Amino acid sequence: MIIDSHCHLDYEPLISDINKIISNAKKNNVTNLLTIGTSLESSKKVLEIVEKYDNVYGAIGIHPNSTTNNLSDLNELVDIKKKSKKIIAFGETGLDY
């Protein structure tokens, strides 16, 4: 079993061709993917993606370089987490020097 533990399926050019990306992963024995949100908007897209694809799970969060500007988004991130059991982590929350 191979798991991609950190990808950004909501980023271009991946999101524009996501069906092909998911298909190619399966063809190459990647059984599951963990896509990571980096902002509130990105995390909302992650929720949409994980609900559409059985083998994709999500982490939501705010990128460390943006935390001082977006602390008010934290409550909304918690609400996103509550919407899906496939959101399995809070990510992009560490120190990124």
Side-chain angles (χ1 to χ4, degrees):
M1 175 187 316
I2 299 172
I3 299 170
D4 184 337
S5 65
H6 192 115
C7 58
H8 294 279
L9 296 176
D10 64 303
Y11 283 17
E12 290 295 348
L14 302 178
I15 190 72
S16 292
D17 208 9
I18 193 167
N19 289 326
K20 184 177 178 183
I21 299 298
I22 301 290
S23 177
N24 284 344
K26 287 180 183 179
K27 287 179 189 173
N28 287 286
N29 299 316
V30 177
T31 58
N32 296 89
L33 298 98
L34 178 61
T35 187
I36 314 294
T38 58
S39 67
L40 178 58
E41 290 306 313
S42 172
S43 295
K44 289 177 182 178
K45 289 179 187 175
V46 164
L47 176 63
E48 292 174 16
I49 292 167
V50 303
E51 291 302 304
K52 185 173 180 180
Y53 298 96
D54 291 338
N55 65 326
V56 180
Y57 295 84
I60 56 174
I62 300 170
H63 193 276
N65 294 343
S66 302
T67 56
T68 57
N69 298 330
N70 299 309
L71 291 176
S72 62
D73 293 345
L74 294 177
N75 288 334
E76 286 189 72
L77 288 174
V78 171
D79 290 340
I80 291 170
K81 167 65 182 110
K82 291 176 183 178
K83 291 178 182 179
S84 177
K85 290 183 180 192
K86 292 183 71 186
I87 301 294
I88 59 172
F90 287 94
E92 295 293 6
T93 57
L95 300 175
D96 201 7
Y97 296 108

